[in-house]
């Protein structure tokens, strides 16, 4: 586990290997700025919430500075988890050092990003006054709106905004975070389009710029972005006199199912996992001594159903202007989506299942979901795991659903309006509906391309061809050939030493160099290692 001390509010770290982070001059290396906000509201921000903004900015920026490992999925194991100790100056150390606040902060962030956290809060000697550096180009106060919601510019956040503003007739303050101009441009384009269509009176937009200064990110996963986003949402909500805000995200993604064998735990996004949201609610409520609510109005919709709400509101032509891809650094005007990351795969399946392909041009994706050759990199593996996972889900009983997916069980106690049994029934139905939509897309594509498939004209390394090539099919949890795997493993034990560690908690074996084996392979490898040790000792 990679360990690092982060000293905040200083120009230079006090010891070798530590990071120095600062939101203010001199030595500023963290940008924290809210542009569109009123002067009257700025004056009403409590010092405690300014502390929260700075803490969230430090956590988010450090998340990008310390790399977790390589981009190869099988190599993520060794250094995925990091141990991060923060020393941060705050205006109210007596509150931040409180046992309950510390526990909520550490546990919620730990589950969100799969890291280990420790915080040391000290009294800020000369705290920055936020009016100048944080709130630049202050605008007129936005009107008193019905809702405050987080707005990323993706399909889900746009659908949520459309549903509230257009379908339900609410007025909404949309809070958007951006670290690079590409992201802010997407958000602004969507907001401007809604205003041009006559919804300006129901809509306000607060763009939030938080980023590292003059440094290229070493880590792109940004698991703590939702913590920063939620903290910004809370500040804007409280400044608007509200005790809650909304996260727009569909319920399948929020559970972070293990789409691939090694994309488990925090390696799959937990942005709006129910446990994270309840942890944030508890943290915010404890800090402010009032009940704070985080709403998820799209929780019981699949991505396909979310996409359909956009069309139902008469906004289908704007789907192509939304951007869901996480690989911002590789985005171009021609290709707004990589077509490779799990978010692109999820989005494209949803659009095709909803019959909206004409409004989300295929040429916006660097790789077509079904027909592009994916054999030259690891992208076929991710796409096939996605299909295999939901094929498996579609054939499951409810009992197997709960047994085979511990991620589901971990969420059941975190739906405040439902019992565990009710939540499990809702989630099973939700995942079944999503599985059917994935199957429908593959079935329709097979019918549409039946001739080229038969003639072998579809690239063998494409997702569509691989789905019907039994020898190349990727399974989520294949039954292992014990004898063959045992022989292959023993053949590799020729070196005089073998560096490894057994991780009993996550049931996996970590090898020197970052490789690891888990799942069914874990049991085989653990047994063989025990035999190897016994033979070596004797």
């Amino acid at each position: 586990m990679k360990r690092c001390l982060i000293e905040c509010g200083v120009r230079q770290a006090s010891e070798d290997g530590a990071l120095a982070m600062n939101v203010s001059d001199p030595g500023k290396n963290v940008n924290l700025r809210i542009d569109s906000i009123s002067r009257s509201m700025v004056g009403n921000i409590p010092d405690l919430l300014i502390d929260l903004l700075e803490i969230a900015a430090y956590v988010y920026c450090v998340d990008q500075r310390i790399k977790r490992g390589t981009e190869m999925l099988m190599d993520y194991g060794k250094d995925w988890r990091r141990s991060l100790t923060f020393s941060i100056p705050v205006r109210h150390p007596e509150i931040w050092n409180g046992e309950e606040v510390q526990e909520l902060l550490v546990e919620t962030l730990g589950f969100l990003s799969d890291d280990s956290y420790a915080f040391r809060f000290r009294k800020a000697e000369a705290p920055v006054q936020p009016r100048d550096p944080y709130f630049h180009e202050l605008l007129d106060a936005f009107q008193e709106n019905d809702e405050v919601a987080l707005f990323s510019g993706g399909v889900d956040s746009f659908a949520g905004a459309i549903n509230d503003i257009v379908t339900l007739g609410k007025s909404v303050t949309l809070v958007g975070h951006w670290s690079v101009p590409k992201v802010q441009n997407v958000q602004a384009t969507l907001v401007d389009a809604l205003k041009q269509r006559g919804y300006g009176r129901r809509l306000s937009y607060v763009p939030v710029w938080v980023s590292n200064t003059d440094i290229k990110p070493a880590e792109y996963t940004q698991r703590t972005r939702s913590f920063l986003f939620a903290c910004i949402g809370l500040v804007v909500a409280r400044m608007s006199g509200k005790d809650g805000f909304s996260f727009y995200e569909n319920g399948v993604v929020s559970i972070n199912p293990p789409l691939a064998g090694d994309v488990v735990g925090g390696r799959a996004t937990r942005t709006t996992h129910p446990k994270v949201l309840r942890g944030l609610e508890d943290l915010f409520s404890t800090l402010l001594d009032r009940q704070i609510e985080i709403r998820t109005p799209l929780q019981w919709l699949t991505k396909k159903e979310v996409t359909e709400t956009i069309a139902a509101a008469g906004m289908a032509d704007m789907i192509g202007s939304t951007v869901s891809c996480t690989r911002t650094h590789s985005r171009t005007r021609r290709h707004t989506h990589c077509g490779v990351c799990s978010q692109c795969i999820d989005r494209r399946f949803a659009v095709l299942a909803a019959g909206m392909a004409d409004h989300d041009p295929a040429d916006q994706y660097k790789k077509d979901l079904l027909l592009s050759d994916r054999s030259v990199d690891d992208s076929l593996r991710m796409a096939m795991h996605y299909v295999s996972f939901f094929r498996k889900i579609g054939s499951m009983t409810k009992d197997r659903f709960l047994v085979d997916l511990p991620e589901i069980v971990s969420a059941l106690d975190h739906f405040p309006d439902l019992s565990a049994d009710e939540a499990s029934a809702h989630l099973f139905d939700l995942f079944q509906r999503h599985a059917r939509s994935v199957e429908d897309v593959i079935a329709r594509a097979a019918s549409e391309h039946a001739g080229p498939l038969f003639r072998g004209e579809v690239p063998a390394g494409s997702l569509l061809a691989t789905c019907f090539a039994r020898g190349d099919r990727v399974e989520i949890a294949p039954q292992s050939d014990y004898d063959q795997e045992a022989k292959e493993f023993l053949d590799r034990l020729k070196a005089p030493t073998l560096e490894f560690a057994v991780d009993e908690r996550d049931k996996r074996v970590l090898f020197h160099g970052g490789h690891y084996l888990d799942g069914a392979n874990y049991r085989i490898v653990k047994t063989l290692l025990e035999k190897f040790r016994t033979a070596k000792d004797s």
Side-chain angles (χ1 to χ4, degrees), residues 10 40 163 174 179 195 215 300 367 412 438 504 528:
V10 299
S40 60
N163 187 59
L174 297 176
S179 57
K195 290 181 177 179
I215 186 172
W300 302 115
K367 288 202 173 182
L412 296 183
V438 172
E504 294 286 2
L528 291 172

Side-chain angles (χ1 to χ4, degrees), residues 52-332:
L52 181 65
L53 286 176
E54 293 181 358
I55 292 168
Y58 284 134
V59 169
Y60 169 74
C61 289
V62 167
D63 189 9
Q64 297 177 79
R65 284 179 176 250
I66 303 175
K67 191 163 181 62
R68 292 183 181 273
T70 75
E71 292 185 355
M72 296 297 290
L73 291 176
M74 290 302 293
D75 291 341
Y76 256 125
K78 182 183 177 184
D79 292 326
W80 175 263
R81 293 179 179 85
R82 303 162 299 187
S83 179
L84 308 174
T85 299
F86 287 83
S87 173
I88 304 178
V90 292
R91 295 155 184 81
H92 288 286
E94 72 284 357
I95 295 178
W96 290 104
N97 284 319
E99 182 177 352
E100 186 176 4
V101 169
Q102 283 265 345
E103 183 176 324
L104 288 168
L105 188 60
V106 167
E107 288 187 359
T108 302
L109 280 173
F111 183 78
L112 173 62
S113 72
D114 227 5
D115 294 311
S116 173
Y117 288 87
F119 290 92
R120 306 169 187 166
F121 295 109
R122 64 185 190 274
K123 180 69 175 178
E125 297 179 358
V128 175
Q129 296 302 314
R131 182 180 298 275
D132 182 26
Y134 294 175
F135 303 95
H136 185 64
E137 300 174 2
L138 301 177
L139 305 180
D140 292 336
F142 45 76
Q143 66 268 30
E144 182 68 19
N145 287 336
D146 299 321
E147 299 280 350
V148 172
L150 305 184
F151 186 69
S152 66
V155 168
D156 285 16
S157 69
F158 184 64
I162 289 298
N163 187 59
D164 276 344
I165 296 169
V166 179
T167 305
L168 300 180
K170 294 181 179 180
S171 57
V172 181
T173 298
L174 297 176
V175 181
H177 164 251
W178 59 282
S179 57
V180 295
K182 292 179 184 178
V183 175
Q184 201 272 334
N185 289 341
V186 170
Q187 297 170 8
T189 296
L190 293 171
V191 170
D192 288 345
L194 287 175
K195 290 181 177 179
Q196 290 171 9
R197 297 189 183 199
Y199 296 102
R201 294 179 63 84
R202 300 184 197 168
L203 172 64
S204 299
Y205 172 52
V206 181
V208 179
W209 179 27
V210 181
S211 67
N212 283 288
T213 302
D214 300 327
I215 186 172
K216 184 178 180 180
E219 177 59 47
Y220 290 99
T221 54
Q222 297 188 47
R223 289 293 180 257
T224 59
R225 181 172 181 261
S226 64
F227 172 61
L228 170 66
F229 218 168
C231 292
I232 295 290
L234 174 68
V235 171
V236 175
R238 288 304 306 139
M239 290 165 59
S240 304
K242 295 178 174 55
D243 290 331
F245 57 93
S246 295
F247 254 119
Y248 296 136
E249 189 163 297
N250 75 86
V252 175
V253 170
S254 70
I255 301 299
N256 91 298
L259 298 179
D262 50 1
V263 184
V264 296
R267 288 176 212 132
T269 180
R270 288 171 168 168
T271 300
T272 55
H273 190 283
K275 184 175 180 178
V276 170
L277 298 186
R278 302 294 83 77
L280 291 173
E281 282 181 339
D282 290 344
L283 173 63
F284 296 159
S285 299
T286 300
L287 283 173
L288 300 179
D289 194 25
R290 64 192 307 137
Q291 188 60 46
I292 301 298
E293 179 186 12
I294 300 178
R295 296 175 291 274
T296 52
L298 307 182
Q299 172 64 58
W300 302 115
L301 298 180
T302 67
K303 189 88 166 184
K304 171 194 172 184
E305 293 161 352
V306 165
T307 306
E308 289 173 336
T309 65
I310 299 176
M315 300 287 179
D317 61 304
M318 292 181 63
I319 292 175
S321 298
T322 66
V323 175
S324 306
C325 184
T326 59
R327 302 189 178 185
T328 308
H329 57 287
S330 63
R331 188 182 305 167
T332 65

Side-chain angles (χ1 to χ4, degrees), residues 185 201 401 433 442 454 468:
N185 289 341
R201 294 179 63 84
F401 180 67
R433 298 199 313 271
I442 297 296
F454 177 76
F468 296 96

Side-chain angles (χ1 to χ4, degrees), residues 74 480-500 509-512 515-518 520-526 528-529 532 536:
M74 290 302 293
S480 299
D481 183 337
Y482 186 94
D483 292 336
Q484 180 61 30
E485 293 199 27
K487 181 181 182 302
E488 292 176 356
F489 184 77
L490 287 172
D491 287 343
R492 294 198 295 270
L493 297 182
K494 296 179 180 178
T497 60
L498 179 66
E499 297 184 44
F500 65 88
V509 177
L510 306 175
F511 293 94
H512 178 70
H515 299 273
Y516 72 89
L517 293 173
D518 62 2
N521 290 327
Y522 163 80
R523 293 188 294 272
I524 294 172
V525 173
K526 182 182 177 184
L528 291 172
L529 287 174
F532 180 67
K536 194 172 181 181

Side-chain angles (χ1 to χ4, degrees), residues 370 440-453 464 468:
L370 299 169
D440 289 346
V441 169
I442 297 296
R444 287 204 303 265
S447 176
E448 181 181 348
H449 299 281
L453 275 170
L464 184 59
F468 296 96

